């Protein structure tokens, strides 16, 4: 009987997807501890919605020229930092990506001016199988970092839920971590709790209680 029981347990463990149990327990914990604290009132999110694009007669993510105007308006409020979660590969016309684009150069100049005045500006980037997808030149001259929040489509819970974000790829922190360190005055090598590493990709993740 012991041998049969051992075979059954081994077979069960070989075929049972532990990640499904882990994701269920994580969701249970999140529901138990209640909603995460709301973002601070001095954290402002400016979104590009349908009403904005219709009023400007543009398509998302808007033109570089419009982003220059937006940057000047935001900088007038003297923010502690500015982070762009915009795909500038779409904002910059394809025909201009290999040529000198005056608006793009002006946008970069404005961000560098803000950095010099003590308001760091970062650009959030995407990632693919090769690593970070860089913005087009000259926008890539602006400090940038990967800003990827996962949907568990084919892994973990496999339900397209959002539970985790990238902490770092190799030794490079994600933009979210850079912002957190900057706001809190923490060093770049600050050790956060709950970070885990996927050895096959050398990517570190952290779980989140996502507001979206």
């Amino acid at each position: 009987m012991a041998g049969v029981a051992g075979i059954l347990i081994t077979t069960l463990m070989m075929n049972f997807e532990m990640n499904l149990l882990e994701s269920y327990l994580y969701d249970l914990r999140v529901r138990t501890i209640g909603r995460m604290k709301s973002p601070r009132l001095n954290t402002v999110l400016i979104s590009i919605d349908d009403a904005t694009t219709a009023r400007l007669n543009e398509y998302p993510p808007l033109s570089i020229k419009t982003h220059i105007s937006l940057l000047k308006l935001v900088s007038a409020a003297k923010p502690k930092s500015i982070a762009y979660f915009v795909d500038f590969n779409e904002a910059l016309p394809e025909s201009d990506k290999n040529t000198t684009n005056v608006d793009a150069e002006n946008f970069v100049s404005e961000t560098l001016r803000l950095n010099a005045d003590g308001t760091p500006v970062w650009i959030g980037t995407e990632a693919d199988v090769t690593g970070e997808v860089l913005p087009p030149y000259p926008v890539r001259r602006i400090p940038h970092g990967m800003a990827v929040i996962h949907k568990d489509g084919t892994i973990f819970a496999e339900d397209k839920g959002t539970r985790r974000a990238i902490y770092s790829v190799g030794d490079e922190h994600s933009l979210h971590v850079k912002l957190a360190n900057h706001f809190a005055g923490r060093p770049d090598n600050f050790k956060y709790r709950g970070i885990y590493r996927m050895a096959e990709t050398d990517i570190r993740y952290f779980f989140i209680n996502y507001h979206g």
Side-chain angles (χ1 to χ4, degrees), residues 22-170:
E22 185 182 7
S23 63
Y24 172 79
L25 293 175
Y26 175 76
D27 291 345
L28 179 63
R29 178 178 180 274
V30 169
R31 288 194 297 269
T32 302
I33 64 176
R35 282 191 60 83
M36 188 171 60
K37 291 181 180 180
S38 298
R40 294 179 180 178
L41 295 178
N42 58 359
T43 300
V44 179
L45 177 65
I46 301 175
S47 60
I48 301 173
D49 56 16
D50 292 339
T52 301
T53 55
R55 184 170 60 83
L56 295 173
N57 194 28
E58 292 191 30
Y59 295 99
L62 305 180
S63 66
I64 289 282
K65 196 168 186 176
T66 298
H67 282 291
I68 295 173
S69 300
L70 175 61
L71 199 58
K72 290 179 178 179
L73 287 172
V74 172
S75 64
K78 304 296 182 183
K80 190 169 184 178
S81 66
I82 299 173
Y84 259 96
F85 298 94
V86 170
D87 186 354
F88 281 97
N89 282 294
E90 295 184 13
L92 193 61
E94 190 68 35
S95 59
D96 292 342
K97 288 181 181 178
N98 296 317
T99 61
T100 301
N101 183 286
V102 175
D103 289 334
E105 290 287 354
N106 289 339
F107 179 75
V108 173
S109 297
E110 184 65 19
T111 64
L112 297 180
R113 180 189 67 79
L114 288 170
N115 274 284
D117 290 343
T119 301
V121 180
W122 284 294
I123 301 294
T125 57
E126 296 287 338
D128 61 17
V129 293
T130 62
E132 183 180 4
V133 179
L134 295 176
Y137 185 84
V139 179
R140 67 181 59 179
R141 288 164 45 198
I142 302 170
H144 49 81
M146 282 182 283
V148 180
I149 295 179
H150 279 271
K151 290 186 181 296
D152 294 324
T154 59
I155 55 177
F156 204 50
E158 302 178 13
D159 61 357
K160 299 189 184 300
T162 300
R163 297 176 179 83
R164 60 193 180 128
I166 287 180
Y167 173 79
S168 65
V169 178

Side-chain angles (χ1 to χ4, degrees), residues 142-209:
I142 302 170
H144 49 81
M146 282 182 283
V148 180
I149 295 179
H150 279 271
K151 290 186 181 296
D152 294 324
T154 59
I155 55 177
F156 204 50
E158 302 178 13
D159 61 357
K160 299 189 184 300
T162 300
R163 297 176 179 83
R164 60 193 180 128
I166 287 180
Y167 173 79
S168 65
V169 178
D171 296 325
E172 182 70 19
H173 286 147
S174 71
L175 180 56
H176 298 92
V177 177
K178 291 178 180 179
L179 284 170
N181 287 341
H182 175 71
F183 284 134
R186 293 169 178 156
D188 291 339
N189 60 353
F190 182 83
K191 300 297 183 184
Y192 288 92
R193 296 176 58 191
I195 307 300
Y196 69 97
R197 177 175 175 265
M198 300 288 287
E200 60 270 24
T201 59
D202 197 23
I203 297 177
R204 288 176 171 82
Y205 295 92
F206 61 95
F207 285 112
I208 55 176
N209 185 348

